[in-house]
Amino acid sequence: MSTTAALGGAEPRDVESRDVSVTVFADRNAAYYGSVFERLQKGELPFWHMNLAGLLIPWVWSAWRGVWLMFWVSLALDMVGLVCLMQNFKYGPLLADAHLDPSANAILIERYTRWLGVYNNVGVATLILGRLLIGLQANRWYFRQYSKWRIDGHTAHGVMARRVAIAVLILVLVAPITLYRATQQRIDERACFNQVRAIDGTQRLLSRYGVTEVSDLTSAMNDQRDRLVTEKATLEASASLTDDQKGRLSEIRREVRQLRRENDAVEDFKAVSAKDRFDCLFIDDFPTLARIDPPEDVTYRRVPDEDAIAQGRSGATKVIRQVKDPVEGRTVNIFTYTAESIDIGINFLRAQYAGIFDALTNVLRQSLIRVEVAFMLTPWPVLVGLAMILAWAYCGTGTVVFVGSSLTFLAVFELWQIAMQTMALVVVATAICIFVGLPVGIWMAKNRIANWVTEPILDVMQTIPSLSYLVPAVAFFGISQPPAVLATVVFAIPPMVKLTALGIRQVPQSTKEAALAFGASERQLLTKVELPMAVPSIMAGLNQTIMLALSMATISAFIGAEGLGAIVTAALGDAQAGKGLLAGIAIALVAMVIDRILKGIRSSLSRI
């Protein structure tokens, strides 16, 4: 056998040599596999034909032969069966304890007995039937690998000890810890946290007392306590105490209480067994690999600037940074450290640039008020007539009927004014998306670096859950309608940007070259050729943006947005399914009306 074959690779062979090369492929027991493969090709191999190696040692045989699909299937089946059987070690002791008082634990006895019966039956059935299945299918899987090898010489073939070593390594990594976990009760959610605190606290005490062993630490702490107790007894025995002595006595009492707490922490550390550490390290959550001292507890407060007020600028403010001493010995994981750092940064930005945030909030609030007033003060026949005219002009009779029915639903259930509040928020958010998204989309289409930078950002924005956008909005702007608008904009803007860039990129190169040949400038090329031809794609982006804005406007009711979403939120909190369902239907109808009209407009523009 060649070196390449021994390593599992494939030497170049022509098809003729592989047609008669079962010996080369199988390497060991070639006569047996040649006979089996021939019977499989002729359809003469019985269904019950069993590969004994696949039945008895499927992990070793499949890895030795390089049939990795069989290895993983057999490993999964055997692990499921063994895990079920291991439940005896978990619930058996509990059942025995319950039998100590049968009358009080009748329910537990019945439950544990039923569980153990089910687990044992499933475990035995999985092991037996799984091994039978693997034994019956082993030769067929091996034959499929042989057929593939005849076409692709790089397919695993022959036998190799290195594959067995890899399989053993996988088993060592997977089987013991999985089976051990199956025998253990669920770890208390605070047990590992308390273990980390005890270890961290003891390490700090070792450093403070200048010792390396816990036993030396205990002795040092006991000596310190004895000295304090002696000094305390001496002071208390005095007939009269000076003010300094009284202060020292109070200090000693505090130190004794602190020593008692530290001694308890050391005892907790001693109580942490090797099993406890192993459980928290391997079978609980992913282990915390780093503990970090958190940033100082920083707050930022804006107070009136007296000098500015004296000059007549009563709205002027200044920023005061207040720093508190960090809690001694407090260490946190990376998540908490990063989260606290972000909070500090947000508080700083809010205080330092409060004027900008207040101005932006005011602009958004005034825009919302004016759009709401426009919708609410416009007579409903005008809005209904406009919607139906648009539907008739661009969509057809069926859409006109649907639009009329949907708007009638809003009127009959007295949801018209509330729906207009939702529409106002959607209109303001969509206008911002167009104002920002259209230029950014053009920039992405024209600039390769801008596209390379912006594309992953937009992908992340589309992937983040919608509720997550409410958190930074509330952090910077509080709870009201303006942060709801901003959260809606961030959530809804990616389709506008992406489809604008896509529409401009899809303009045929020949068309752009013809425009440039006739003397068009870059601006004329954009405004008179690219944008008009990209209108269908831009309208598709606008459609998606409006749909996303409408869905986010509903969720934004959690942070103070008014409209139909507020009804859904209130119904959810009060378990009023009827109100929530009707408001949800209204939201769906509004979305479908907008979607049908915009699709009709987009279709008409595509025909131009």
Side-chain angles (χ1 to χ4, degrees):
M1 182 176 61
S2 66
T3 304
T4 306
L7 294 177
E11 298 175 345
R13 300 181 179 88
D14 54 20
V15 176
E16 289 78 8
S17 66
R18 288 202 296 271
D19 285 340
V20 292
S21 58
V22 176
T23 302
V24 176
F25 174 77
D27 192 11
R28 303 289 180 86
N29 297 331
Y32 167 76
Y33 290 110
S35 173
V36 169
F37 292 170
E38 182 178 0
R39 296 167 68 187
L40 280 170
Q41 287 177 324
K42 295 179 179 180
E44 297 176 354
L45 189 70
F47 172 77
W48 56 86
H49 180 83
M50 184 73 65
N51 184 314
L52 294 179
L55 174 68
L56 301 176
I57 49 173
W59 305 341
V60 177
W61 182 88
S62 57
W64 197 42
R65 296 280 179 184
V67 190
W68 289 108
L69 174 61
M70 175 179 165
F71 171 81
W72 289 111
V73 172
S74 61
L75 176 61
L77 290 173
D78 286 353
M79 290 305 300
V80 169
L82 291 174
V83 165
C84 289
L85 294 178
M86 287 296 168
Q87 303 305 306
N88 286 281
F89 295 95
K90 178 189 292 186
Y91 295 109
L94 297 179
L95 181 61
D97 293 340
H99 275 295
L100 296 177
D101 189 358
S103 59
N105 299 318
I107 297 178
L108 291 178
I109 292 174
E110 187 273 333
R111 179 183 301 169
Y112 293 149
T113 303
R114 184 177 71 253
W115 287 356
L116 288 175
V118 171
Y119 280 125
N120 287 330
N121 292 335
V122 172
V124 172
T126 303
L127 286 175
I128 295 176
L129 296 179
R131 287 298 183 92
L132 290 175
L133 173 65
I134 296 299
L136 292 172
Q137 294 297 318
N139 286 332
R140 291 170 174 80
W141 277 339
Y142 199 38
F143 176 70
R144 283 196 290 269
Q145 183 165 317
Y146 168 67
S147 300
K148 184 179 178 181
W149 175 79
R150 294 179 62 191
I151 300 172
D152 180 9
H154 292 85
T155 303
H157 62 280
V159 295
M160 186 187 303
R162 183 170 65 89
R163 297 195 198 114
V164 178
I166 294 174
V168 171
L169 179 61
I170 294 173
L171 292 174
V172 170
L173 292 175
V174 173
I177 192 171
T178 302
L179 297 179
Y180 172 75
R181 179 67 182 89
T183 64
Q184 302 300 304
Q185 298 294 328
R186 182 178 180 181
I187 300 176
D188 181 72
E189 59 183 9
R190 293 190 60 85
C192 295
F193 174 75
N194 293 334
Q195 181 184 126
V196 171
R197 290 187 60 183
I199 295 173
D200 289 346
T202 303
Q203 293 297 328
R204 288 192 300 271
L205 291 173
L206 289 170
S207 177
R208 183 195 302 174
Y209 284 90
V211 295
T212 58
E213 299 295 334
V214 176
S215 58
D216 296 336
L217 174 63
T218 303
S219 300
M221 293 175 63
N222 290 334
D223 293 341
Q224 176 69 8
R225 184 187 58 189
D226 293 340
R227 286 194 298 269
L228 292 174
V229 170
T230 302
E231 185 178 357
K232 176 185 174 184
T234 302
L235 291 174
E236 290 177 343
S238 301
S240 61
L241 298 176
T242 64
D243 292 339
D244 292 339
Q245 289 175 326
K246 290 179 180 179
R248 176 56 183 164
L249 183 59
S250 299
E251 183 179 351
I252 290 174
R253 289 169 179 167
R254 288 193 299 270
E255 292 180 3
V256 170
R257 289 195 296 268
Q258 179 64 26
L259 275 173
R260 189 180 299 114
R261 288 192 293 267
E262 292 174 350
N263 186 69
D264 292 340
V266 173
E267 293 301 323
D268 291 339
F269 172 78
K270 292 179 180 179
V272 177
S273 63
K275 177 182 179 301
D276 296 333
R277 297 193 184 194
F278 179 85
D279 290 348
C280 289
L281 188 61
F282 289 104
I283 70 172
D284 188 47
D285 198 359
F286 193 87
T288 301
L289 301 180
R291 307 293 295 182
I292 308 173
D293 292 329
E296 297 175 344
D297 187 5
V298 182
T299 59
Y300 300 91
R301 180 179 300 169
R302 292 189 300 146
V303 298
D305 188 343
E306 301 298 338
D307 295 335
I309 293 175
Q311 296 174 9
R313 295 184 288 122
S314 59
T317 60
K318 66 179 180 180
V319 179
I320 291 181
R321 181 180 181 185
Q322 295 182 340
V323 183
K324 297 179 181 178
D325 294 332
V327 179
E328 182 181 359
R330 176 174 174 252
T331 58
V332 296
N333 57 23
I334 296 176
F335 174 82
T336 303
Y337 178 84
T338 306
E340 292 182 358
S341 300
I342 293 173
D343 291 339
I344 291 174
I346 290 175
N347 292 335
F348 173 77
L349 292 175
R350 288 181 61 185
Q352 192 73 21
Y353 304 102
I356 297 176
F357 294 129
D358 292 343
L360 182 58
T361 301
N362 186 58
V363 169
L364 293 174
R365 182 177 288 109
Q366 294 302 321
S367 301
L368 276 172
I369 291 174
R370 282 161 174 75
V371 175
E372 282 186 9
V373 169
F375 273 113
M376 292 182 179
L377 294 185
T378 301
W380 67 265
V382 175
L383 294 176
V384 173
L386 179 61
M388 297 187 69
I389 289 172
L390 289 174
W392 176 76
Y394 292 103
C395 303
T397 306
T399 305
V400 172
V401 174
F402 174 75
V403 170
S405 303
S406 300
L407 298 179
T408 301
F409 177 89
L410 297 177
V412 168
F413 287 94
E414 299 183 0
L415 296 173
W416 181 265
Q417 294 292 333
I418 299 176
M420 292 305 102
Q421 291 178 335
T422 300
M423 286 299 301
L425 193 151
V426 171
V427 167
V428 173
T430 303
I432 297 175
C433 289
I434 296 173
F435 180 76
V436 177
L438 195 62
V440 174
I442 296 172
W443 185 42
M444 285 181 60
K446 295 288 188 179
N447 191 306
R448 182 176 300 177
I449 296 177
N451 180 74
W452 180 78
V453 173
T454 310
E455 188 76 23
I457 296 176
L458 295 174
D459 292 338
V460 172
M461 291 169 63
Q462 287 184 300
T463 306
I464 294 176
S466 55
L467 282 174
S468 300
Y469 290 106
L470 303 181
V471 178
V474 172
F476 283 106
F477 298 95
I479 296 178
S480 60
Q481 293 217 79
V485 173
L486 290 177
T488 303
V489 168
V490 176
F491 180 70
I493 200 173
M496 189 71 205
V497 176
K498 283 190 171 184
L499 290 176
T500 297
L502 179 64
I504 293 176
R505 290 196 201 101
Q506 288 180 338
V507 175
Q509 187 66 27
S510 58
T511 303
K512 293 189 286 186
E513 292 176 353
L516 293 173
F518 278 100
S521 64
E522 289 293 333
R523 178 175 297 179
Q524 291 173 328
L525 176 67
L526 175 64
T527 57
K528 297 183 180 299
V529 177
E530 292 176 327
L531 283 178
M533 297 188 70
V535 164
S537 180
I538 294 173
M539 289 298 298
L542 177 62
N543 187 8
Q544 293 299 313
T545 293
I546 293 176
M547 294 299 103
L548 291 176
L550 188 59
S551 66
M552 190 64 184
T554 304
I555 298 173
S556 297
F558 284 105
I559 60 172
E562 299 178 354
L564 294 170
I567 299 179
V568 175
T569 304
L572 181 64
D574 298 334
Q576 296 176 331
K579 286 185 177 181
L581 180 61
L582 291 176
I585 293 174
I587 294 170
L589 291 177
V590 170
M592 293 172 67
V593 166
I594 298 174
D595 179 65
R596 295 294 186 273
I597 294 175
L598 287 178
K599 279 185 177 179
I601 295 175
R602 186 171 74 249
S603 299
S604 65
L605 292 174
S606 300
R607 294 191 294 268
I608 296 177

